[in-house]
């Protein structure tokens, strides 16, 4: 076999290998911050965090699983929450920053309950229920092909960037 023919075959095989490796990534774990990093102490919706590239589809699947036990894909294996629970200091900081940012509404500013769904790329994800009056209408939103249901339109899952100490 000639050297040119061997080089051509090796080149084609390399291109095929790269193509196969790229095709294996189904986009679940791809993060690409397109609008910079989130600001410390700020709250974002799941949609904002996904649109800005701070959460991947894989992160959304984990969040959905930790919320309802459903990964919304056959064969899905969730990643355990790390840390498993929030520290009292972190939960207190979330409540404090939430109250500061919503001080104009006395009912909405007070967090009644906080359900933690994990930490992803340094962001804490939690369902926040406030003292605001809620309507008994189930609201569903789809983000990155993953469905999330809420008991009303007032309370949702939020993403919070902790203040580094």
């Amino acid at each position: 076999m000639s050297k040119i023919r061997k080089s051509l075959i090796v080149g084609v095989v390399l291109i095929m290998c790269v193509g196969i490796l790229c095709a294996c990534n189904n986009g679940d774990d791809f993060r690409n911050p397109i609008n910079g990093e989130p600001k410390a102490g700020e709250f974002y919706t799941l949609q904002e965090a996904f649109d800005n590239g701070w959460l991947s589809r894989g992160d959304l699947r984990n969040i959905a699983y930790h919320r309802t036990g459903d990964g919304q894909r056959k064969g899905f294996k969730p990643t355990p929450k790390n840390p498993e629970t929030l520290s009292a200091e972190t939960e207190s900081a979330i409540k404090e920053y939430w109250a500061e940012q919503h001080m104009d509404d006395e009912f909405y500013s007070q967090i009644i309950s906080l359900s933690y769904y994990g930490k992803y790329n340094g962001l804490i994800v939690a369902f926040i229920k406030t003292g605001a009056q809620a309507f008994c209408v189930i609201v569903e939103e789809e983000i990155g092909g993953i469905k999330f249901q809420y008991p009303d339109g007032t309370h949702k899952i939020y993403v919070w960037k902790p203040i580094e100490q």
Side-chain angles (χ1 to χ4, degrees):
M1 209 183 270
S2 72
K3 283 187 173 185
I4 294 175
R5 189 174 215 166
K6 284 182 184 178
S7 296
L8 186 59
I9 291 172
V10 168
V12 169
V13 168
L14 284 173
I15 290 171
M16 288 174 48
C17 288
V18 169
I20 289 170
L21 289 174
C22 290
C24 289
N25 183 1
N26 63 5
D28 273 2
D29 295 320
F30 181 71
R31 286 188 195 97
N32 182 21
I34 56 174
N35 288 328
E37 293 295 320
K39 294 180 184 174
E42 294 292 320
F43 292 89
Y44 301 91
T45 64
L46 280 179
Q47 187 71 61
E48 289 171 321
F50 180 72
D51 288 348
N52 284 310
W54 304 329
L55 293 176
S56 69
R57 287 186 71 225
D59 295 336
L60 293 175
R61 283 191 202 290
N62 272 304
I63 294 163
Y65 175 82
H66 291 302
R67 178 159 170 78
T68 64
D70 178 18
Q72 300 182 30
R73 183 175 81 183
K74 190 175 183 176
F76 174 74
K77 292 187 168 91
T79 304
K81 292 187 277 184
N82 185 16
E84 183 63 34
T85 59
L86 285 178
S87 68
E89 297 83 23
T90 301
E91 189 168 333
S92 179
I94 290 171
K95 289 178 179 180
E96 181 182 317
Y97 277 92
W98 181 270
E100 280 180 23
Q101 292 178 22
H102 298 93
M103 70 170 90
D104 57 326
D105 183 340
E106 74 175 274
F107 295 109
Y108 196 64
S109 66
Q110 183 181 8
I111 293 178
I112 302 297
S113 69
L114 189 143
S115 300
Y116 168 67
Y117 301 128
K119 191 171 184 178
Y120 305 88
N121 200 29
L123 303 171
I124 294 172
V125 178
F127 177 78
I128 294 177
K129 183 174 182 182
T130 66
Q133 186 69 16
F135 299 102
C136 295
V137 177
I138 293 177
V139 175
E140 183 175 284
E141 73 176 339
E142 188 172 320
I143 304 166
I146 312 300
K147 293 180 183 167
F148 295 89
Q149 280 191 346
Y150 303 106
D152 56 63
T154 305
H155 307 108
K156 290 186 166 194
I157 297 173
Y158 288 92
V159 176
W160 184 67
K161 171 78 176 194
I163 303 294
E164 298 300 322
Q165 297 180 4

